Amino acid sequence: MNTNETNEISGQPPAPLRLATLFLRLAVIGIVIAGIAALFLYAGGWFTPHALSPAVMINTFEKVNGEHPGFRRNHAKGVCISGYFESNGGGAALSKAVVFLPGRVPIIGRFALAVGQPYAADAAHLVRSMALLFKLADGEEWRTGMNNIPVFPVNSAEGFYDLLLASAPNPVTGKPDPAKMSAFLAGHPESAKAIQLIRSSRVSAGFADSSYNSLDAFRFINAKGAVLPVRWSMVTVQPVQPFNPIMPRDSDTNQLFDALIADIHSHVLQWHLIITIGQPGDPTADATLPWPSNRQRVDVGTLTVEHIESEDTSPARDINFDPLVLPNGMAGSDDPLLSARSAAYAESFTRREGEHKSPSAVSTAETGK
């Protein structure tokens, strides 16, 4: 019996055909792998080196603020917190997210200053931030980053990039070039209006008596499938005190953080989570525009901060507070800043996680940990 007869009886294809099939399969696998690699290279900006990719954005932060390995490229100076959020059930009609069911969920988070220099001196005029991760009972997470300003100064990633370059300090004076900032404002009238509103808003004395706003719009989906445009705020329970405009600017001062540490060591701090419900026509794609002051506001619960800890020991140091990590019942809006923030945060996170961790300016000795 010859070889062909054997193959016919056994049902096996001739050897040359089996080899051809094998080579075809390997070629297909190679094409798939190459395609995946190309997608990663495209996302990283390798094919468009002059496009405003996440890598270009983070490179610009490093150029403007200097390189500080192991730290966030923005909001670099911070301190970590933990506590809980207690829902009063008032948000359950707005969203089916379990965080709004009556009850308590643990939180971990971080207070920071909106600077890319981890050892910069505290200054009362700097934007303050509150970032939180809600650990939900069903295993989901809600991550949010909020600032103590009423609107965001730009409405696009390109606008933020331009503002970053315009506000870069002059190497000689150490201050931004007024001509560059004037040119930026002339080219971005929406930012000129937003910055004017930010400068005219009331500034409190410190972290504890500040209220923090989502700035970007989001969407809530309730159990019936109804969709609502929303923004949210953490409104301070602590009495609001006026800020001191002549704080010391010594290179090692941590006045704002020291005051926060003292407050938490003496008593818990609290904020009410207020959901503002947008109406048709309210801008959801432009964070420079405020919503009308008469919009419905719903108090859905209370945030309680019990503990404070240096980044040197807290797990919050290694959390990426991506604004698009949302539980079922919450979603992003059409605001382009959300995807831009998410991508830039991921780039910053990837870089700093692979770097040596230097000590925080707010040490364990200061926080009492």
Side-chain angles (χ1 to χ4, degrees):
M1 186 179 292
N2 61 34
T3 304
N4 288 337
E5 288 174 338
T6 304
N7 286 330
E8 288 173 4
I9 293 173
S10 65
Q12 294 295 321
L17 182 59
R18 291 201 303 272
L19 288 174
T21 303
L22 177 61
F23 285 131
L24 177 61
R25 289 177 179 174
L26 290 174
V28 170
I29 293 172
I31 292 171
V32 171
I33 293 174
I36 294 172
L39 288 174
F40 276 103
L41 290 172
Y42 177 79
W46 285 76
F47 298 150
T48 54
H50 301 295
L52 186 54
S53 65
V56 170
M57 183 69 80
I58 299 304
N59 288 343
T60 306
F61 269 105
E62 294 176 352
K63 180 179 179 181
V64 171
N65 296 302
E67 295 186 13
H68 304 283
F71 289 98
R72 285 170 166 83
R73 272 40 180 187
N74 195 20
H75 298 265
K77 185 178 183 180
V79 69
C80 301
I81 54 169
S82 59
Y84 59 89
F85 171 72
E86 187 146 14
S87 169
N88 58 25
L94 307 177
S95 168
K96 60 185 177 182
V98 297
V99 68
F100 298 122
L101 296 175
R104 181 179 293 189
V105 298
I107 66 94
I108 186 170
R110 186 174 181 269
F111 286 105
L113 295 176
V115 291
Q117 300 170 356
Y119 302 109
D122 292 359
H125 70 278
L126 291 174
V127 173
R128 305 164 202 159
S129 67
M130 172 194 281
L132 300 173
L133 184 154
F134 297 73
K135 300 179 181 180
L136 309 186
D138 63 354
E140 293 182 299
E141 293 181 354
W142 173 21
R143 304 186 189 188
T144 178
M146 300 162 284
N147 294 321
N148 72 325
I149 49 179
V151 293
F152 203 63
V154 299
N155 61 9
S156 67
E158 292 76 11
F160 192 90
Y161 177 76
D162 292 343
L163 176 59
L164 194 60
L165 292 178
S167 58
N170 183 297
V172 177
T173 66
K175 298 179 180 180
D177 185 337
K180 289 184 178 180
M181 184 57 70
S182 296
F184 166 80
L185 296 175
H188 296 272
E190 74 285 351
S191 294
K193 293 180 181 179
I195 291 172
Q196 184 177 11
L197 179 58
I198 292 170
R199 288 175 175 171
S200 65
S201 62
R202 183 183 184 187
V203 180
S204 66
F207 286 105
D209 61 346
S210 289
S211 294
Y212 302 88
N213 304 306
S214 70
L215 304 180
D216 299 302
F218 293 81
R219 293 182 294 131
F220 277 7
I221 304 96
N222 68 14
K224 297 180 179 180
V227 179
L228 292 172
V230 298
R231 288 173 171 172
W232 56 73
S233 303
M234 281 292 181
V235 177
T236 183
V237 173
Q238 289 70 235
V240 178
Q241 303 294 330
F243 84 101
N244 179 4
I246 53 173
M247 286 177 57
R249 293 176 179 267
D250 298 332
S251 60
D252 60 349
T253 184
N254 290 333
Q255 276 206 335
L256 290 174
F257 289 100
D258 289 343
L260 176 64
I261 293 166
D263 282 339
I264 295 178
H265 281 177
S266 62
H267 54 82
V268 300
L269 300 178
Q270 293 186 315
W271 285 261
H272 288 294
L273 177 54
I274 306 296
I275 306 299
T276 301
I277 302 173
Q279 297 297 317
D282 289 344
T284 57
D286 192 336
T288 66
L289 298 175
W291 285 354
S293 59
N294 62 355
R295 292 295 178 256
Q296 182 183 0
R297 291 159 55 89
V298 182
D299 185 338
V300 300
T302 303
L303 169 72
T304 299
V305 175
E306 299 176 294
H307 305 290
I308 191 162
E309 187 174 350
S310 170
E311 287 195 296
D312 293 342
T313 55
S314 172
R317 181 194 65 184
D318 297 319
I319 292 174
N320 175 9
F321 291 99
D322 184 334
L324 290 179
V325 176
L326 301 163
N328 185 29
M330 301 172 66
S333 68
D334 56 348
D335 188 338
L337 283 176
L338 286 172
S339 58
R341 287 175 60 194
S342 179
Y345 288 10
E347 178 71 21
S348 173
F349 176 80
T350 300
R351 292 190 188 188
R352 62 187 173 86
E353 284 304 290
E355 298 167 345
H356 171 74
K357 301 298 186 295
S358 299
S360 170
V362 186
S363 67
T364 56
E366 288 184 273
T367 58
K369 296 296 291 184

Short mmCIF file of all heavy atoms in Angstrom, two decimals, residues 156-218:
data_model
loop_
_atom_site.label_atom_id
_atom_site.label_comp_id
_atom_site.label_asym_id
_atom_site.label_seq_id
_atom_site.Cartn_x
_atom_site.Cartn_y
_atom_site.Cartn_z
N SER A 156 -10.68 71.41 26.76
CA SER A 156 -10.14 70.38 25.86
C SER A 156 -8.71 70.05 26.27
O SER A 156 -8.05 70.83 26.97
CB SER A 156 -10.16 70.86 24.41
OG SER A 156 -9.24 71.93 24.22
N ALA A 157 -8.24 68.90 25.80
CA ALA A 157 -6.86 68.51 26.06
C ALA A 157 -5.89 69.49 25.41
O ALA A 157 -4.86 69.84 25.99
CB ALA A 157 -6.60 67.10 25.55
N GLU A 158 -6.24 69.96 24.21
CA GLU A 158 -5.39 70.93 23.52
C GLU A 158 -5.30 72.23 24.31
O GLU A 158 -4.22 72.83 24.41
CB GLU A 158 -5.93 71.19 22.12
CG GLU A 158 -5.83 70.02 21.16
CD GLU A 158 -6.88 68.95 21.41
OE1 GLU A 158 -7.82 69.21 22.21
OE2 GLU A 158 -6.78 67.85 20.82
N GLY A 159 -6.43 72.66 24.86
CA GLY A 159 -6.42 73.86 25.68
C GLY A 159 -5.57 73.71 26.92
O GLY A 159 -4.84 74.64 27.31
N PHE A 160 -5.62 72.52 27.54
CA PHE A 160 -4.81 72.29 28.73
C PHE A 160 -3.33 72.31 28.37
O PHE A 160 -2.50 72.86 29.11
CB PHE A 160 -5.18 70.96 29.38
CG PHE A 160 -4.60 70.78 30.74
CD1 PHE A 160 -5.29 71.20 31.86
CD2 PHE A 160 -3.35 70.20 30.93
CE1 PHE A 160 -4.75 71.04 33.13
CE2 PHE A 160 -2.80 70.05 32.18
CZ PHE A 160 -3.51 70.47 33.29
N TYR A 161 -2.99 71.69 27.25
CA TYR A 161 -1.60 71.68 26.78
C TYR A 161 -1.10 73.11 26.55
O TYR A 161 0.00 73.47 26.97
CB TYR A 161 -1.52 70.85 25.50
CG TYR A 161 -0.17 70.81 24.84
CD1 TYR A 161 0.86 70.03 25.35
CD2 TYR A 161 0.08 71.55 23.69
CE1 TYR A 161 2.10 69.98 24.73
CE2 TYR A 161 1.32 71.51 23.07
CZ TYR A 161 2.33 70.73 23.59
OH TYR A 161 3.55 70.68 22.98
N ASP A 162 -1.92 73.92 25.88
CA ASP A 162 -1.54 75.31 25.63
C ASP A 162 -1.38 76.10 26.93
O ASP A 162 -0.46 76.91 27.06
CB ASP A 162 -2.58 75.99 24.74
CG ASP A 162 -2.60 75.41 23.33
OD1 ASP A 162 -1.63 74.75 22.94
OD2 ASP A 162 -3.62 75.63 22.61
N LEU A 163 -2.28 75.86 27.87
CA LEU A 163 -2.19 76.55 29.17
C LEU A 163 -0.93 76.13 29.92
O LEU A 163 -0.26 76.95 30.55
CB LEU A 163 -3.43 76.26 30.00
CG LEU A 163 -3.45 76.84 31.43
CD1 LEU A 163 -3.34 78.36 31.40
CD2 LEU A 163 -4.72 76.40 32.16
N LEU A 164 -0.61 74.86 29.84
CA LEU A 164 0.59 74.35 30.52
C LEU A 164 1.84 75.05 29.99
O LEU A 164 2.71 75.47 30.76
CB LEU A 164 0.68 72.85 30.31
CG LEU A 164 1.65 72.04 31.17
CD1 LEU A 164 1.32 72.19 32.64
CD2 LEU A 164 1.62 70.57 30.76
N LEU A 165 1.93 75.19 28.67
CA LEU A 165 3.08 75.86 28.07
C LEU A 165 3.09 77.35 28.42
O LEU A 165 4.15 77.92 28.70
CB LEU A 165 3.06 75.67 26.56
CG LEU A 165 3.30 74.25 26.04
CD1 LEU A 165 3.19 74.23 24.52
CD2 LEU A 165 4.66 73.72 26.48
N ALA A 166 1.91 77.98 28.40
CA ALA A 166 1.84 79.42 28.68
C ALA A 166 2.19 79.75 30.12
O ALA A 166 2.71 80.83 30.41
CB ALA A 166 0.45 79.94 28.35
N SER A 167 1.90 78.82 31.04
CA SER A 167 2.15 79.08 32.45
C SER A 167 3.50 78.58 32.93
O SER A 167 3.82 78.68 34.11
CB SER A 167 1.05 78.43 33.30
OG SER A 167 1.00 77.04 33.07
N ALA A 168 4.32 78.05 32.02
CA ALA A 168 5.65 77.58 32.40
C ALA A 168 6.49 78.76 32.91
O ALA A 168 6.50 79.83 32.30
CB ALA A 168 6.33 76.93 31.20
N PRO A 169 7.19 78.58 34.03
CA PRO A 169 7.99 79.68 34.57
C PRO A 169 9.18 80.03 33.70
O PRO A 169 9.82 79.15 33.13
CB PRO A 169 8.44 79.15 35.93
CG PRO A 169 8.37 77.66 35.81
CD PRO A 169 7.25 77.38 34.87
N ASN A 170 9.46 81.31 33.59
CA ASN A 170 10.65 81.77 32.89
C ASN A 170 11.89 81.38 33.71
O ASN A 170 11.93 81.60 34.92
CB ASN A 170 10.58 83.29 32.73
CG ASN A 170 11.75 83.84 31.94
OD1 ASN A 170 12.90 83.75 32.37
ND2 ASN A 170 11.47 84.44 30.80
N PRO A 171 12.90 80.78 33.11
CA PRO A 171 14.08 80.35 33.87
C PRO A 171 14.77 81.48 34.62
O PRO A 171 15.41 81.25 35.64
CB PRO A 171 15.00 79.78 32.78
CG PRO A 171 14.10 79.43 31.65
CD PRO A 171 13.00 80.44 31.68
N VAL A 172 14.65 82.71 34.13
CA VAL A 172 15.31 83.86 34.76
C VAL A 172 14.50 84.41 35.92
O VAL A 172 15.00 84.59 37.02
CB VAL A 172 15.58 84.97 33.72
CG1 VAL A 172 16.22 86.18 34.39
CG2 VAL A 172 16.48 84.44 32.60
N THR A 173 13.20 84.64 35.69
CA THR A 173 12.35 85.27 36.71
C THR A 173 11.69 84.26 37.64
O THR A 173 11.29 84.61 38.75
CB THR A 173 11.26 86.11 36.04
OG1 THR A 173 10.37 85.23 35.32
CG2 THR A 173 11.86 87.13 35.10
N GLY A 174 11.56 83.00 37.18
CA GLY A 174 10.86 82.01 37.98
C GLY A 174 9.36 82.17 37.92
O GLY A 174 8.62 81.48 38.65
N LYS A 175 8.86 83.08 37.08
CA LYS A 175 7.43 83.33 36.96
C LYS A 175 7.01 83.16 35.50
O LYS A 175 7.82 83.27 34.58
CB LYS A 175 7.10 84.75 37.43
CG LYS A 175 7.44 85.00 38.90
CD LYS A 175 7.11 86.44 39.29
CE LYS A 175 7.44 86.70 40.76
NZ LYS A 175 7.12 88.10 41.15
N PRO A 176 5.69 82.90 35.28
CA PRO A 176 5.23 82.77 33.89
C PRO A 176 5.45 84.06 33.10
O PRO A 176 5.46 85.16 33.66
CB PRO A 176 3.73 82.49 34.06
CG PRO A 176 3.60 81.91 35.42
CD PRO A 176 4.64 82.61 36.26
N ASP A 177 5.64 83.92 31.83
CA ASP A 177 5.82 85.06 30.93
C ASP A 177 4.46 85.69 30.66
O ASP A 177 3.58 85.04 30.08
CB ASP A 177 6.44 84.57 29.63
CG ASP A 177 6.78 85.70 28.67
OD1 ASP A 177 6.18 86.78 28.80
OD2 ASP A 177 7.64 85.49 27.79
N PRO A 178 4.22 86.95 31.07
CA PRO A 178 2.91 87.59 30.87
C PRO A 178 2.49 87.63 29.40
O PRO A 178 1.30 87.51 29.09
CB PRO A 178 3.13 89.00 31.42
CG PRO A 178 4.27 88.87 32.37
CD PRO A 178 5.15 87.82 31.80
N ALA A 179 3.45 87.79 28.50
CA ALA A 179 3.13 87.84 27.07
C ALA A 179 2.55 86.51 26.59
O ALA A 179 1.59 86.47 25.81
CB ALA A 179 4.36 88.23 26.26
N LYS A 180 3.14 85.41 27.06
CA LYS A 180 2.64 84.09 26.66
C LYS A 180 1.25 83.84 27.22
O LYS A 180 0.38 83.28 26.53
CB LYS A 180 3.61 83.00 27.13
CG LYS A 180 4.93 82.97 26.39
CD LYS A 180 5.79 81.81 26.86
CE LYS A 180 7.11 81.75 26.09
NZ LYS A 180 7.95 80.62 26.55
N MET A 181 1.03 84.27 28.47
CA MET A 181 -0.29 84.07 29.06
C MET A 181 -1.34 84.93 28.36
O MET A 181 -2.47 84.48 28.11
CB MET A 181 -0.26 84.39 30.56
CG MET A 181 -1.57 84.13 31.28
SD MET A 181 -2.16 82.42 31.12
CE MET A 181 -0.95 81.56 32.12
N SER A 182 -0.98 86.14 28.00
CA SER A 182 -1.91 87.01 27.27
C SER A 182 -2.27 86.41 25.92
O SER A 182 -3.44 86.45 25.49
CB SER A 182 -1.30 88.40 27.09
OG SER A 182 -1.11 89.04 28.33
N ALA A 183 -1.28 85.84 25.25
CA ALA A 183 -1.53 85.21 23.96
C ALA A 183 -2.44 83.99 24.12
O ALA A 183 -3.33 83.75 23.29
CB ALA A 183 -0.21 84.80 23.31
N PHE A 184 -2.22 83.24 25.20
CA PHE A 184 -3.10 82.08 25.45
C PHE A 184 -4.53 82.52 25.66
O PHE A 184 -5.47 81.96 25.08
CB PHE A 184 -2.61 81.30 26.66
CG PHE A 184 -3.62 80.31 27.17
CD1 PHE A 184 -3.78 79.09 26.54
CD2 PHE A 184 -4.42 80.61 28.27
CE1 PHE A 184 -4.73 78.18 26.99
CE2 PHE A 184 -5.37 79.71 28.73
CZ PHE A 184 -5.52 78.48 28.08
N LEU A 185 -4.75 83.53 26.50
CA LEU A 185 -6.10 83.99 26.80
C LEU A 185 -6.78 84.56 25.57
O LEU A 185 -7.99 84.39 25.37
CB LEU A 185 -6.06 85.02 27.93
CG LEU A 185 -5.58 84.50 29.29
CD1 LEU A 185 -5.46 85.63 30.29
CD2 LEU A 185 -6.52 83.41 29.81
N ALA A 186 -6.01 85.22 24.72
CA ALA A 186 -6.58 85.76 23.49
C ALA A 186 -7.02 84.65 22.55
O ALA A 186 -8.03 84.78 21.85
CB ALA A 186 -5.56 86.65 22.79
N GLY A 187 -6.29 83.56 22.55
CA GLY A 187 -6.62 82.43 21.69
C GLY A 187 -7.65 81.49 22.28
O GLY A 187 -8.19 80.64 21.57
N HIS A 188 -7.91 81.63 23.57
CA HIS A 188 -8.88 80.77 24.26
C HIS A 188 -9.82 81.64 25.09
O HIS A 188 -9.70 81.71 26.32
CB HIS A 188 -8.15 79.77 25.16
CG HIS A 188 -7.30 78.79 24.42
ND1 HIS A 188 -7.78 77.59 23.94
CD2 HIS A 188 -5.99 78.84 24.06
CE1 HIS A 188 -6.81 76.94 23.34
NE2 HIS A 188 -5.70 77.67 23.39
N PRO A 189 -10.77 82.31 24.45
CA PRO A 189 -11.69 83.19 25.19
C PRO A 189 -12.50 82.46 26.24
O PRO A 189 -12.89 83.05 27.26
CB PRO A 189 -12.58 83.78 24.10
CG PRO A 189 -12.43 82.86 22.93
CD PRO A 189 -11.04 82.32 23.00
N GLU A 190 -12.79 81.16 26.01
CA GLU A 190 -13.53 80.39 27.01
C GLU A 190 -12.72 80.25 28.30
O GLU A 190 -13.28 80.28 29.40
CB GLU A 190 -13.90 79.01 26.46
CG GLU A 190 -12.78 78.00 26.34
CD GLU A 190 -11.81 78.25 25.18
OE1 GLU A 190 -12.10 79.12 24.34
OE2 GLU A 190 -10.77 77.56 25.11
N SER A 191 -11.40 80.15 28.16
CA SER A 191 -10.54 80.05 29.34
C SER A 191 -10.43 81.40 30.05
O SER A 191 -10.35 81.45 31.29
CB SER A 191 -9.15 79.55 28.94
OG SER A 191 -9.20 78.22 28.48
N ALA A 192 -10.42 82.49 29.28
CA ALA A 192 -10.37 83.82 29.90
C ALA A 192 -11.56 84.03 30.82
O ALA A 192 -11.41 84.53 31.94
CB ALA A 192 -10.32 84.89 28.80
N LYS A 193 -12.75 83.62 30.38
CA LYS A 193 -13.95 83.76 31.21
C LYS A 193 -13.89 82.83 32.42
O LYS A 193 -14.24 83.22 33.53
CB LYS A 193 -15.19 83.45 30.37
CG LYS A 193 -15.48 84.46 29.28
CD LYS A 193 -16.73 84.07 28.50
CE LYS A 193 -17.02 85.07 27.38
NZ LYS A 193 -18.22 84.67 26.60
N ALA A 194 -13.42 81.60 32.20
CA ALA A 194 -13.36 80.64 33.30
C ALA A 194 -12.36 81.08 34.37
O ALA A 194 -12.64 81.00 35.57
CB ALA A 194 -12.98 79.26 32.76
N ILE A 195 -11.20 81.57 33.94
CA ILE A 195 -10.18 82.01 34.90
C ILE A 195 -10.66 83.22 35.68
O ILE A 195 -10.39 83.35 36.88
CB ILE A 195 -8.86 82.29 34.16
CG1 ILE A 195 -8.26 80.96 33.65
CG2 ILE A 195 -7.86 83.00 35.07
CD1 ILE A 195 -7.05 81.13 32.75
N GLN A 196 -11.41 84.10 35.03
CA GLN A 196 -11.97 85.25 35.73
C GLN A 196 -12.95 84.79 36.81
O GLN A 196 -12.96 85.32 37.93
CB GLN A 196 -12.69 86.17 34.74
CG GLN A 196 -13.23 87.45 35.38
CD GLN A 196 -13.87 88.37 34.34
OE1 GLN A 196 -14.09 87.98 33.20
NE2 GLN A 196 -14.17 89.59 34.74
N LEU A 197 -13.77 83.78 36.49
CA LEU A 197 -14.70 83.24 37.48
C LEU A 197 -13.96 82.56 38.62
O LEU A 197 -14.33 82.71 39.79
CB LEU A 197 -15.64 82.24 36.79
CG LEU A 197 -16.68 81.56 37.68
CD1 LEU A 197 -17.57 82.58 38.38
CD2 LEU A 197 -17.52 80.59 36.85
N ILE A 198 -12.91 81.83 38.30
CA ILE A 198 -12.12 81.15 39.34
C ILE A 198 -11.49 82.19 40.28
O ILE A 198 -11.52 82.03 41.51
CB ILE A 198 -11.03 80.28 38.69
CG1 ILE A 198 -11.67 79.09 37.95
CG2 ILE A 198 -10.04 79.77 39.74
CD1 ILE A 198 -10.71 78.32 37.08
N ARG A 199 -10.94 83.25 39.72
CA ARG A 199 -10.27 84.26 40.54
C ARG A 199 -11.25 85.04 41.41
O ARG A 199 -10.87 85.55 42.47
CB ARG A 199 -9.49 85.22 39.63
CG ARG A 199 -8.23 84.60 39.02
CD ARG A 199 -7.57 85.53 38.05
NE ARG A 199 -6.30 84.99 37.54
CZ ARG A 199 -5.59 85.52 36.56
NH1 ARG A 199 -6.01 86.62 35.95
NH2 ARG A 199 -4.46 84.94 36.18
N SER A 200 -12.50 85.13 40.98
CA SER A 200 -13.49 85.89 41.75
C SER A 200 -14.20 85.04 42.80
O SER A 200 -14.96 85.56 43.62
CB SER A 200 -14.53 86.49 40.81
OG SER A 200 -15.28 85.47 40.16
N SER A 201 -13.95 83.72 42.80
CA SER A 201 -14.62 82.84 43.75
C SER A 201 -13.93 82.89 45.11
O SER A 201 -12.74 83.20 45.22
CB SER A 201 -14.65 81.40 43.23
OG SER A 201 -13.34 80.90 43.08
N ARG A 202 -14.69 82.56 46.13
CA ARG A 202 -14.19 82.60 47.50
C ARG A 202 -13.20 81.46 47.75
O ARG A 202 -13.45 80.32 47.37
CB ARG A 202 -15.36 82.49 48.48
CG ARG A 202 -14.98 82.59 49.95
CD ARG A 202 -16.23 82.39 50.81
NE ARG A 202 -15.94 82.57 52.22
CZ ARG A 202 -16.82 82.31 53.19
NH1 ARG A 202 -18.04 81.87 52.88
NH2 ARG A 202 -16.50 82.49 54.46
N VAL A 203 -12.08 81.77 48.36
CA VAL A 203 -11.08 80.77 48.70
C VAL A 203 -11.04 80.62 50.21
O VAL A 203 -10.94 81.61 50.94
CB VAL A 203 -9.68 81.16 48.16
CG1 VAL A 203 -8.66 80.10 48.55
CG2 VAL A 203 -9.73 81.36 46.66
N SER A 204 -11.09 79.37 50.70
CA SER A 204 -11.09 79.13 52.14
C SER A 204 -9.67 78.99 52.66
O SER A 204 -8.70 79.02 51.92
CB SER A 204 -11.90 77.87 52.45
OG SER A 204 -11.25 76.74 51.91
N ALA A 205 -9.57 78.79 53.97
CA ALA A 205 -8.25 78.79 54.63
C ALA A 205 -7.43 77.55 54.33
O ALA A 205 -6.20 77.62 54.28
CB ALA A 205 -8.44 78.94 56.14
N GLY A 206 -8.07 76.41 54.13
CA GLY A 206 -7.29 75.19 53.98
C GLY A 206 -8.07 74.06 53.34
O GLY A 206 -9.15 74.25 52.77
N PHE A 207 -7.53 72.86 53.47
CA PHE A 207 -8.17 71.69 52.88
C PHE A 207 -9.50 71.37 53.57
O PHE A 207 -10.47 71.01 52.90
CB PHE A 207 -7.25 70.47 53.01
CG PHE A 207 -6.09 70.47 52.06
CD1 PHE A 207 -4.80 70.75 52.50
CD2 PHE A 207 -6.27 70.16 50.71
CE1 PHE A 207 -3.73 70.73 51.63
CE2 PHE A 207 -5.20 70.13 49.82
CZ PHE A 207 -3.92 70.43 50.29
N ALA A 208 -9.53 71.46 54.89
CA ALA A 208 -10.70 70.99 55.64
C ALA A 208 -11.95 71.81 55.37
O ALA A 208 -13.06 71.27 55.36
CB ALA A 208 -10.39 71.00 57.13
N ASP A 209 -11.81 73.12 55.17
CA ASP A 209 -13.00 73.96 54.96
C ASP A 209 -13.21 74.30 53.49
O ASP A 209 -13.97 75.20 53.16
CB ASP A 209 -12.93 75.23 55.80
CG ASP A 209 -11.74 76.11 55.47
OD1 ASP A 209 -10.82 75.65 54.79
OD2 ASP A 209 -11.75 77.28 55.91
N SER A 210 -12.55 73.56 52.59
CA SER A 210 -12.80 73.71 51.15
C SER A 210 -13.90 72.76 50.72
O SER A 210 -14.05 71.66 51.27
CB SER A 210 -11.53 73.39 50.34
OG SER A 210 -10.56 74.39 50.50
N SER A 211 -14.66 73.17 49.72
CA SER A 211 -15.58 72.28 49.02
C SER A 211 -14.96 71.92 47.68
O SER A 211 -14.23 72.72 47.09
CB SER A 211 -16.94 72.95 48.84
OG SER A 211 -17.57 73.15 50.09
N TYR A 212 -15.25 70.71 47.20
CA TYR A 212 -14.58 70.19 46.02
C TYR A 212 -15.61 69.77 44.97
O TYR A 212 -16.62 69.15 45.31
CB TYR A 212 -13.69 69.01 46.41
CG TYR A 212 -12.65 69.36 47.45
CD1 TYR A 212 -12.93 69.28 48.82
CD2 TYR A 212 -11.39 69.82 47.07
CE1 TYR A 212 -11.99 69.63 49.77
CE2 TYR A 212 -10.44 70.18 48.02
CZ TYR A 212 -10.75 70.08 49.36
OH TYR A 212 -9.81 70.44 50.31
N ASN A 213 -15.34 70.12 43.71
CA ASN A 213 -16.30 69.93 42.63
C ASN A 213 -15.78 68.99 41.55
O ASN A 213 -14.58 69.01 41.21
CB ASN A 213 -16.63 71.28 41.99
CG ASN A 213 -17.12 72.29 43.01
OD1 ASN A 213 -18.07 72.03 43.74
ND2 ASN A 213 -16.47 73.44 43.08
N SER A 214 -16.69 68.21 40.97
CA SER A 214 -16.31 67.28 39.90
C SER A 214 -15.89 68.02 38.64
O SER A 214 -15.11 67.50 37.84
CB SER A 214 -17.45 66.33 39.58
OG SER A 214 -18.53 67.00 38.95
N LEU A 215 -16.45 69.22 38.42
CA LEU A 215 -16.17 70.07 37.26
C LEU A 215 -16.68 69.44 35.96
O LEU A 215 -17.45 70.05 35.23
CB LEU A 215 -14.67 70.38 37.15
CG LEU A 215 -14.06 71.04 38.39
CD1 LEU A 215 -12.57 71.30 38.17
CD2 LEU A 215 -14.77 72.33 38.75
N ASP A 216 -16.26 68.23 35.63
CA ASP A 216 -16.80 67.54 34.47
C ASP A 216 -18.22 67.07 34.75
O ASP A 216 -18.60 66.81 35.90
CB ASP A 216 -15.94 66.32 34.12
CG ASP A 216 -14.51 66.69 33.78
OD1 ASP A 216 -14.32 67.48 32.85
OD2 ASP A 216 -13.59 66.20 34.46
N ALA A 217 -19.00 66.93 33.70
CA ALA A 217 -20.34 66.37 33.81
C ALA A 217 -20.29 64.85 33.62
O ALA A 217 -19.40 64.32 32.93
CB ALA A 217 -21.27 66.99 32.76
N PHE A 218 -21.23 64.17 34.24
CA PHE A 218 -21.36 62.72 34.13
C PHE A 218 -22.83 62.38 33.86
O PHE A 218 -23.67 63.28 33.76
CB PHE A 218 -20.87 62.03 35.41
CG PHE A 218 -19.39 62.16 35.64
CD1 PHE A 218 -18.85 63.32 36.20
CD2 PHE A 218 -18.52 61.13 35.31
CE1 PHE A 218 -17.49 63.46 36.41
CE2 PHE A 218 -17.15 61.25 35.52
CZ PHE A 218 -16.64 62.41 36.07
#
